[in-house]
């Protein structure tokens, strides 16, 4: 069944270009979209927003294609300090920071360069940090069924910093622990101490 717009406004809005929507937004915040500095802004915003949300056009299978390998290694694999940039789904303001990821393989590993790409795929969507953390962990679990996965993300949220709700320097830490990282205190502690180690 085709979706029938509920109102004339809805029908009209859907036919308006993204550039025009941004132009209207500039007007509504009290700006003059025809002045020199803003003439090309709607076009830039549309392009920038498409880039910042490009994760919607990607999926894990595609990202990890040809990068899963059979191995007999069963020690912890850890990738620290993965920079990420995301946008909060409540205010569409950036939050950004670092992710630390570990897993204990169970016959399969992921090519190391693909792990930051996986983080990027989920970060380049509208997110809340808790969900982002869990999605990265679950994607690794789905891809290689390891003995366990651990993801820690530390981030600063501009929606808190710019709007003055929280202390400027506060950072939010979230974690997702699956399998052996959830069940075995020793494995979890090993990961945590590796993450805390400077450098
Ligand atoms: Zn927010």
């Amino acid at each position: 069944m085709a979706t029938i717009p509920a109102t004339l406004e809805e029908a009209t809005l859907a036919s308006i270009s993204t550039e025009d929507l941004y132009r209207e937004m500039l007007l509504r915040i009290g700006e003059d979209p025809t002045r020199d500095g803003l003439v090309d802004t709607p076009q830039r915003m549309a392009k920038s927003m498409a880039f910042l949300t490009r994760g919607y056009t990607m999926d894990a299978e595609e990202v990890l294609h040809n990068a899963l390998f059979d191995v007999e290694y069963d020690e912890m694999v850890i990738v620290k300090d993965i920079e990420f940039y995301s946008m909060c789904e409540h205010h569409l303001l950036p939050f950004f920071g670092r992710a630390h990821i570990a897993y204990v393989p169970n016959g399969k590993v992921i090519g190391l360069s693909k792990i930051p790409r996986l983080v990027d795929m989920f970060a380049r969507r509208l997110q809340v940090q808790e969900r982002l953390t869990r999605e990265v962990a679950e994607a690794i679990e789905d891809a290689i069924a390891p003995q366990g996965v651990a993801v820690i993300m530390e981030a600063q949220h501009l929606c808190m910093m710019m709007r003055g709700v929280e202390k400027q320097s506060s950072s939010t830490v979230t974690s997702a622990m699956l399998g052996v990282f959830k069940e075995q205190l020793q494995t979890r502690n090993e990961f945590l101490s590796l993450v805390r180690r400077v450098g």
Side-chain angles (χ1 to χ4, degrees):
M1 206 177 90
T3 317
I4 300 161
T7 62
L8 181 61
E9 286 78 13
E10 219 177 285
T12 314
L13 271 177
S15 64
I16 293 174
S17 72
T18 310
E19 283 84 349
D20 283 341
L21 287 172
Y22 282 130
R23 201 165 289 117
E24 174 68 16
M25 212 172 92
L26 290 172
L27 269 173
R28 293 203 187 179
I29 62 172
E31 263 294 355
D32 169 13
T34 64
R35 73 177 171 84
D36 261 7
L38 292 181
V39 170
D40 294 328
T41 296
Q43 195 192 339
R44 282 190 293 258
M45 288 172 82
K47 217 174 152 187
S48 147
M49 186 57 83
F51 178 82
L52 297 176
T53 57
R54 70 186 189 279
Y56 289 115
T57 65
M58 302 157 69
D59 64 57
E61 217 167 295
E62 174 199 331
V63 167
L64 300 176
H65 184 66
N66 284 340
L68 305 180
F69 307 100
D70 294 325
V71 289
E72 279 180 37
Y73 180 80
D74 64 357
E75 297 296 316
M76 190 182 297
V77 176
I78 178 160
V79 186
K80 277 172 62 172
D81 292 321
I82 302 167
E83 245 181 70
F84 72 87
Y85 296 88
S86 191
M87 257 191 308
C88 83
E89 67 183 18
H90 302 131
H91 306 94
L92 266 69
L93 284 171
F95 68 95
F96 57 95
R98 283 165 195 280
H100 314 291
I101 296 175
Y103 65 90
V104 179
N106 189 16
K108 266 187 168 32
V109 294
I110 299 175
L112 283 181
S113 68
K114 297 293 186 172
I115 290 182
R117 287 203 56 206
L118 200 60
V119 172
D120 203 51
M121 178 188 99
F122 289 111
R124 299 304 193 175
R125 300 175 183 186
L126 302 186
Q127 280 288 7
V128 294
Q129 190 181 327
E130 293 84 349
R131 188 177 65 228
L132 173 60
T133 308
R134 186 165 37 81
E135 282 180 345
V136 172
E138 286 172 355
I140 294 173
E141 187 175 59
D142 288 349
I144 53 168
Q147 297 178 52
V149 188
V151 178
I152 290 183
M153 295 186 131
E154 339 173 37
Q156 293 192 298
H157 291 248
L158 288 190
C159 67
M160 292 200 278
M161 297 163 77
M162 289 178 77
R163 302 182 327 128
V165 181
E166 299 264 316
K167 287 195 184 84
Q168 299 290 308
S169 60
S170 73
S171 72
T172 305
V173 180
T174 48
S175 67
M177 304 281 166
L178 305 177
V180 290
F181 290 93
K182 189 176 182 175
E183 292 144 18
Q184 298 173 8
L185 186 63
Q186 195 193 334
T187 309
R188 184 161 67 234
N189 284 343
E190 187 187 339
F191 169 59
L192 293 175
S193 73
L194 286 167
V195 164
R196 281 193 204 106
R197 198 172 295 164
V198 182

